Amino acid sequence: MTGKECFTMGVIIVVLLCPADGVLIDITPYKNLVTLIHNFFRTHEGAADMKMMQWDDQLQLRAAEWSQGCYWGHQNIGYGENLAYFYSSSGNMSSIDVIINSCQSWWNETFEWNWSTDCGVACHYTQMIWASTDKIGCALSHCPTLKTDATSIINAMFFVCFYNPPGNYVGSYPYTKGKNCEQCGMNSKCSAGLCVSIQQ
Ligand SMILES: *[C@@H]1O[C@H](CO)[C@@H](O)[C@H](O)[C@H]1NC(C)=O
Ligand SMILES: *[C@@H]1O[C@H](CO)[C@@H](O)[C@H](O)[C@H]1NC(C)=O
Ligand SMILES: *[C@@H]1O[C@H](CO)[C@@H](O)[C@H](O)[C@H]1NC(C)=O
């Protein structure tokens, strides 16, 4: 079975039958960095109802499966998805550089977006700062070949973040503008300018 056939057969079969091409890289030391970067941007949006984003191991597992598949595309299984890759012929970019550059490039779309109910060309950014999204899990794989629909990228570092609940609903704004935590709602407390659910 060729890789291409696998990918036309569907997500479940890809995961179960097709050997993963990618080499998963352990980013455990950088989990906090990922949430820190996201929460830094979230706290500075001027949002009244922005939830704190927390790492989710289940999302990390799903992101790991997807990044190891080395396919440049969205999985579309109900999560928000931010993807990025970097490639080089002269050695691999370090994990920390991939993570920081990915988050930077996603957030940088802020300059191409005006407050709107349509994420337009800034959907990575709006997912990062979507108020109700409070879980994130990411994974990094080294892909000898990263397949795209048109071509292949050799020697790519492929970074995948999954978000839950997903954002980017057309017709909705990412958050309610206002003073931090002003609208956290019931059963929430304010921590570092972000809303955190109080466990029942
Ligand atoms: C890049 O990383 C992969 C996976 O860890 C490894 O197999 C490969 O040898 C590395 N390539 C270079 C040029 O260091
Ligand atoms: C961010 O976006 C600005 C404006 O579009 C651009 O000039 C700059 O090069 C970008 N920076 C990065 C790191 O992508
Ligand atoms: C955002 O809105 C301002 C003011 O209307 C306009 O000058 C700017 O070009 C817009 N930017 C984008 C990326 O649409």
Side-chain angles (χ1 to χ4, degrees), residues 173-190:
Y173 289 106
Y175 54 82
T176 306
K177 285 185 180 179
K179 199 163 160 278
N180 283 43
C181 293
E182 215 168 36
Q183 293 185 38
C184 284
M186 299 273 281
N187 302 319
S188 281
K189 61 174 181 168
C190 185

Side-chain angles (χ1 to χ4, degrees), residues 21-165:
D21 299 317
V23 179
L24 192 65
I25 294 165
D26 181 15
I27 59 162
T28 306
Y30 307 118
K31 284 192 212 178
N32 287 343
L33 177 68
V34 170
T35 52
L36 195 80
I37 292 172
H38 280 76
N39 285 325
F40 174 82
F41 291 135
R42 292 166 74 79
T43 203
H44 288 99
E45 278 291 327
D49 56 352
M50 188 72 78
K51 291 188 174 179
M52 183 176 286
M53 226 181 237
Q54 288 174 333
W55 190 268
D56 184 88
D57 289 335
Q58 202 55 40
L59 286 176
Q60 178 186 9
L61 283 176
R62 306 307 296 267
E65 287 169 1
W66 191 244
S67 75
Q68 278 186 286
C70 292
Y71 172 68
W72 177 247
H74 290 282
Q75 189 175 18
N76 295 322
I77 50 169
Y79 301 130
E81 303 178 36
N82 279 355
L83 314 175
Y85 71 83
F86 297 89
Y87 66 97
S88 159
S89 51
S90 60
N92 301 327
M93 193 189 270
S94 68
S95 302
I96 192 165
D97 283 350
V98 171
I99 292 167
I100 290 172
N101 280 290
S102 297
C103 292
Q104 166 69 58
S105 69
W106 297 335
W107 184 82
N108 207 38
E109 293 170 354
T110 187
F111 300 115
E112 298 169 68
W113 188 74
N114 276 330
W115 182 249
S116 152
T117 57
D118 183 340
C119 65
V121 295
C123 300
H124 298 97
Y125 159 68
T126 52
Q127 175 60 85
M128 288 181 99
I129 52 88
W130 199 270
S132 59
T133 302
D134 62 354
K135 292 189 180 66
I136 183 171
C138 310
L140 174 64
S141 289
H142 176 265
C143 294
T145 304
L146 181 66
K147 296 169 215 68
T148 76
D149 288 335
T151 179
S152 291
I153 292 125
I154 306 301
N155 202 30
M157 299 288 272
F158 183 31
F159 187 53
V160 173
C161 288
F162 281 180
Y163 299 82
N164 201 35

